[in-house]
Amino acid sequence: MSYTCPVCGFQKLTEPPRSLTGGGSSEICPSCGYQHGVDDDDKGRSHAAARDEWKRGGMKWQSKSAPPKNWKPAEQLAAVLPRDGAKVIALTGCTRGCGRALAEFFTAQGQVVIGCGRSEKHIAELRSKFGPPHDFTALDVADDEAVHRWAERITVTHGAPDLLINNAAVIAPNAPLWKVPVAEISATLNVNIAGTVNTIRHFVPAMAGRGGVIVNFSSGWGRGTSPDVAIYCATKWAVEGLTQALAQELPHGLAAVALNPGIIDTEMLRSCFGSGAVNHPKPDEWAERAGPFLLALTAKDNGRSLDVPGA
Amino acid sequence: MMQRLLLLFLLLCTACDLRAVNLVAPPEIAPAADGAMTLRWKLDSTAGGRVRFGLAQDRLDQSASDGVGTEHTFTLRGLKPGTKYFYSIGTARRELTTGSFIAGGDAAAKSGPPSQTDAPAPSQKKSLLQKITGLASKPVSTPVPPVVRDAPATRKTWGNIGSLPDHFARHGADFSAKSEDDYAAQSWRFRERAVAEHLPMKLDTDGTVRVFDPKTRAFASFNHDGTTKTYFRPESAGYWQRQPGRAIQTPPWISQ
């Protein structure tokens, strides 16, 4: 199996440039000479800067080994070049449900998706389907150290995101609060609140210099309540409050928005609604409405609590 | 159901343990150049090799490990001539035999049977010049110099041999390496030292092992089988902290 270099598009790397958890392969691309895990992690060279340098140098073969027969650098490069005006979108929880649907929508639109999710299996699938310039990493947003590493790396390789979408969330099985296992409570608090906080803390410093929008996924249960989902309600009310306060703290040019996605037929909804979930839109139908709405958000929306149209 | 599965798992674990690796013959101990001593042994199945030695039976404070195989050879250098050293050999998980030898001595060789500490048996090789004796000696506090093994052939230590010229061209100067082979050998010795000195190691989910020496700032990345992926000296602060993976004590290539 061979892999594509995200700098020059050479399609015969022997390893993925990044392991599923984000570790550099240490492989030196024979085409452009970029060493994954060294040029980025140590030298701080972005993919775009390295690409420009290679282009300025005449796109010459960099390895001491011989290039493949009929090697065509211009053709391989075209496959990894982001389209003009493409936004870099950091998206958490991209492996399932709404997150997965948004990843599909944005890639189809020619945006650059920087996704993360907990399932290595699903991250591997996304990588296989969407190669460079997209980037998918297996991590738990509740793990602050992992988020820090991810944000640092992405900021170097792709630059600060234009859009940070905090979509990752979990919900405990329906039950009155006092019957919810403590592990489920911790997981819900850690992913839904701490996870959102972690990505904001680690991406905002880089975003601050160039602008961008942070979208924190709220819920109808972030503005109302129901029985048997008290912890989930608590986390989504927390997201609303956190977003309002953050909006007052952010430097000029950045915006924080709380977004109620509406009711979508996801695994999460089925755990709450049971068979009644099928009466609601599928994630891909929803993404057709939510995607353009997200792309249209600007700094002027700072501090707003919004709903996806039709939600 | 869960209890049955657990019992089955425990039985499988026990069965694996019963099939543990053993020596097929007593270890050979022979003098080498410059006062060094060579320890060599053969196993009945593949496993990593480990030797620990020191000046007292209860303080084997020097160690070295190698890759997976049935034959293992270690050269212990910088020994004090005429001094008695105690040793333990085995795998990363299991001690197979212990004994002692006199560095630089010229007595006829004897060695202990597999898995027994103090049961000498006649050696089958007259060329062995060192004597393995029982374990009975007072602890001595003289420091023991580190173990230095000769690096195997580059094709055995470097993962993707076709990539070596590019890695050497880029990073060889970090270690004043004189050639591609010298660079590869240095990375292999770093790997050995990392285990002996318990340098920080991280295991990634794809099997990659990353190693860093905070004192020398040397960094290496190894494949799951212990072959080298790259070896260089990072310049940026926090490079090691940025590397993902679970902290480990023993790398996979010797944790057999």
Side-chain angles (χ1 to χ4, degrees), chain B residues 230-251:
Chain B
T230 199
Y231 181 44
F232 77 109
R233 226 183 281 278
E235 296 171 346
S236 62
Y239 181 78
W240 175 243
Q241 284 69 33
R242 284 195 286 278
Q243 303 307 304
R246 167 172 67 86
I248 55 169
Q249 297 285 327
T250 307

Side-chain angles (χ1 to χ4, degrees), chain B residues 75-91:
Chain B
T75 301
L76 315 185
R77 298 187 190 281
L79 304 175
K80 198 172 177 183
T83 302
K84 186 175 186 176
Y85 288 88
F86 296 83
Y87 71 86
S88 160
I89 64 172
T91 69

Side-chain angles (χ1 to χ4, degrees), chain A residues 122-139:
Chain A
H122 290 134
I123 289 295
E125 285 172 9
L126 283 163
R127 282 188 179 190
S128 175
K129 187 169 182 182
F130 306 111
H134 311 293
D135 186 305
F136 297 96
T137 304
L139 64 87

Side-chain angles (χ1 to χ4, degrees), chain A residues 245-304:
Chain A
L246 176 67
Q248 298 168 58
E249 299 169 350
L250 288 173
H252 179 72
L254 281 184
V257 170
L259 181 68
N260 170 22
I263 305 175
I264 307 108
D265 179 13
T266 60
E267 283 180 44
M268 184 184 283
L269 190 75
R270 275 174 242 150
S271 82
C272 310
F273 283 27
S275 59
V278 297
N279 298 321
H280 297 278
K282 302 291 179 204
D284 54 344
E285 298 164 7
W286 168 84
E288 294 289 331
R289 284 182 283 116
F293 182 77
L294 286 161
L295 290 169
L297 294 172
T298 69
K300 291 178 182 172
D301 294 305
N302 190 30
R304 297 178 68 191

Side-chain angles (χ1 to χ4, degrees), chain A residues 1-245:
Chain A
M1 192 157 180
S2 55
Y3 303 88
T4 301
C5 174
V7 174
C8 69
F10 181 63
Q11 294 179 352
K12 291 187 178 176
L13 294 182
T14 60
E15 290 186 60
R18 291 279 164 182
S19 71
L20 289 172
T21 60
S25 67
S26 303
E27 185 168 3
I28 300 173
C29 174
S31 165
C32 66
Y34 194 89
Q35 186 170 14
H36 301 282
V38 176
D39 274 301
D40 32 25
D41 291 357
D42 188 41
K43 311 296 182 194
R45 291 177 78 205
S46 71
H47 291 170
R51 187 183 300 129
D52 289 345
E53 197 177 318
W54 181 64
K55 283 164 70 178
R56 281 198 302 275
M59 295 194 285
K60 291 177 183 165
W61 182 256
Q62 298 295 307
S63 175
K64 291 180 178 298
S65 63
K69 282 184 180 176
N70 301 320
W71 177 61
K72 294 174 180 171
E75 283 185 20
Q76 70 178 35
L77 182 62
V80 292
L81 281 178
R83 72 162 173 76
D84 285 344
K87 288 187 174 179
V88 175
I89 301 172
L91 173 64
T92 69
C94 71
T95 55
R96 294 187 301 176
C98 295
R100 172 68 189 237
L102 283 177
E104 300 263 359
F105 176 84
F106 288 139
T107 51
Q109 290 280 311
Q111 316 295 344
V112 176
V113 176
I114 308 299
C116 75
R118 287 187 294 184
S119 164
E120 289 197 8
K121 180 187 164 193
H122 290 134
I123 289 295
E125 285 172 9
L126 283 163
R127 282 188 179 190
S128 175
K129 187 169 182 182
F130 306 111
H134 311 293
D135 186 305
F136 297 96
T137 304
L139 64 87
D140 183 350
V141 290
D143 181 345
D144 180 61
E145 199 177 314
V147 173
H148 187 192
R149 277 199 304 270
W150 180 55
E152 259 193 330
R153 176 174 70 80
I154 294 303
T155 300
V156 167
T157 55
H158 292 77
D162 300 294
L163 190 55
L164 167 59
I165 302 176
N166 281 307
N167 161 70
V170 295
I171 192 166
N174 287 2
L177 177 61
W178 61 93
K179 290 186 178 177
V180 179
V182 69
E184 300 278 0
I185 293 172
S186 294
T188 310
L189 295 171
N190 287 338
V191 173
N192 298 10
I193 302 176
T196 300
V197 171
N198 290 340
T199 58
I200 292 169
R201 286 178 60 238
H202 296 304
F203 273 114
V204 161
M207 294 172 76
R210 57 188 300 280
V213 178
I214 299 157
V215 180
N216 298 326
F217 268 36
S218 177
S219 166
W221 284 327
R223 297 164 194 174
T225 56
S226 294
D228 293 340
V229 288
I231 289 299
Y232 187 79
C233 287
T235 63
K236 292 303 179 182
W237 279 73
V239 166
E240 290 278 348
L242 182 151
T243 307
Q244 295 301 317

Side-chain angles (χ1 to χ4, degrees), chain B residues 166-190:
Chain B
D166 292 343
H167 285 266
F168 169 66
R170 181 157 185 176
H171 303 303
D174 288 3
F175 307 99
S176 303
K178 295 176 178 62
S179 64
E180 291 166 12
D181 287 335
D182 181 32
Y183 171 66
Q186 288 196 47
S187 74
W188 185 86
R189 282 195 285 272
F190 178 64

